[in-house]
Amino acid sequence: MTTYAIIGGTGLTQLDGLEIRRSVDIETPYGAPSAPVLVGEYAGREVLFLARHGHPHRFPPHKVNYRANLWALKQAGAQAVLAVNAVGGIHPAMGTGHLCVPHQLVDYTSGREHTFFADDLDQVTHIDFSYPYSEPLRQQLIAALAAEGYAGSDFGVYGCTQGPRLETVAEIARMERDGCDIVGMTGMPEAALAREIDLAYACLALVVNPAAGKSTDVITMAEIEAALHQGIGKVRNVLARVLHG
Ligand code: HPA
């Protein structure tokens, strides 16, 4: 049976309903992960859980040690990663509360430790990243969304920005021209690191605000927090369905 790990993003620093059996502190060659890896039972199945930003939430997107996080999950026995990400909506169909299972991404980040293949190499390694997400895992998320009857998209291009500031209207307009449907700050280098160490990886993105310029208002943290509060239950139900099979 596949061992799944959930990486919880903003609004999901802990997984209600997870019966924690062990909390494992893992040191990696890249330093400490954001939090201990929790091993527990969720939806009747053993699962690993890691809070991407720590618990409580303390690492902003550009300070997350993505390498340590992915390495720790692999070391703890994960084979597949379900990543939860809060995002802004760019595509008109991706309004607040919408769930999206992206199929592609564009990386706008800079200066993050983004590869395991940097030092002490026997040979230079280039991973194939044409399709950044695991298709079987994506299909599981899409089936779970449908089964729950939630408004969702089985496609989407995730544009990953550096943060922690939100984008300008012109930046979002450029991202739209680039083909991006949603915008977040944590999708990369996480997805690529997972591929480098052979972890199947897919993303469940919850839209928590219209991206800059996509509504008449400015974006407030209060709006984002309210949308997270409202939407996170749906995220939990989708994850439970995937794990339950
Ligand atoms: N931009 C980038 N990251 C985000 C946003 C956004 O509008 N909303 C939530 N995460």
Side-chain angles (χ1 to χ4, degrees):
M1 244 189 5
T2 308
T3 302
Y4 288 89
I6 294 168
I7 300 182
T10 303
L12 195 69
T13 56
Q14 57 189 355
L15 189 60
D16 288 355
L18 176 72
E19 283 177 37
I20 301 169
R21 305 257 185 269
R22 275 174 295 139
S23 168
V24 193
D25 285 309
I26 299 178
E27 260 305 308
T28 80
Y30 308 96
S34 301
V37 174
L38 302 180
V39 185
E41 200 171 305
Y42 189 66
R45 177 165 186 163
E46 181 163 289
V47 67
L48 310 174
F49 180 81
L50 179 61
R52 181 187 288 117
H53 300 278
H55 179 60
H57 191 297
R58 59 198 175 109
F59 299 109
H62 64 295
K63 293 281 190 191
V64 170
N65 189 339
Y66 295 95
R67 294 198 298 183
N69 285 357
L70 274 293
W71 194 270
L73 290 176
K74 180 87 179 181
Q75 206 164 307
Q79 294 166 308
V81 175
L82 299 165
V84 177
N85 302 74
V87 297
I90 300 176
H91 191 286
M94 311 244 181
T96 300
H98 196 82
L99 288 163
C100 173
V101 183
H103 71 297
Q104 276 294 332
L105 62 81
V106 181
D107 185 8
Y108 300 92
T109 65
S110 58
R112 299 183 180 188
E113 293 288 359
H114 65 286
T115 180
F116 293 114
F117 298 143
D119 305 308
D120 303 324
L121 297 177
D122 293 334
Q123 64 185 60
V124 175
T125 307
H126 303 283
I127 52 155
D128 175 76
F129 202 48
S130 311
Y131 302 97
Y133 301 107
S134 154
E135 195 53 31
L137 211 49
R138 259 179 32 78
Q139 291 305 328
Q140 288 177 54
L141 284 167
I142 291 162
L145 265 179
E148 292 291 332
Y150 294 147
S153 301
D154 57 5
F155 70 94
V157 178
Y158 179 124
C160 188
T161 56
Q162 175 69 357
R165 67 166 176 85
L166 296 165
E167 299 71 35
T168 67
V169 171
E171 284 168 340
I172 292 296
R174 178 178 76 142
M175 291 177 76
E176 193 167 22
R177 290 194 296 278
D178 286 353
C180 296
D181 299 305
I182 52 177
V183 53
M185 300 176 191
T186 48
M188 281 294 282
E190 201 172 87
L193 291 167
R195 180 67 52 83
E196 283 189 351
I197 55 173
D198 272 332
L199 284 168
Y201 180 96
C203 161
L204 178 61
L206 171 66
V207 179
V208 294
N209 60 281
K214 292 295 166 190
S215 83
T216 49
D217 299 323
V218 295
I219 302 163
T220 65
M221 282 308 291
E223 161 195 11
I224 290 179
E225 273 155 25
L228 274 169
H229 189 70
Q230 277 225 317
I232 215 67
K234 290 196 286 185
V235 168
R236 284 200 196 97
N237 292 344
V238 171
L239 294 174
R241 232 183 232 274
V242 170
L243 295 174
H244 207 59

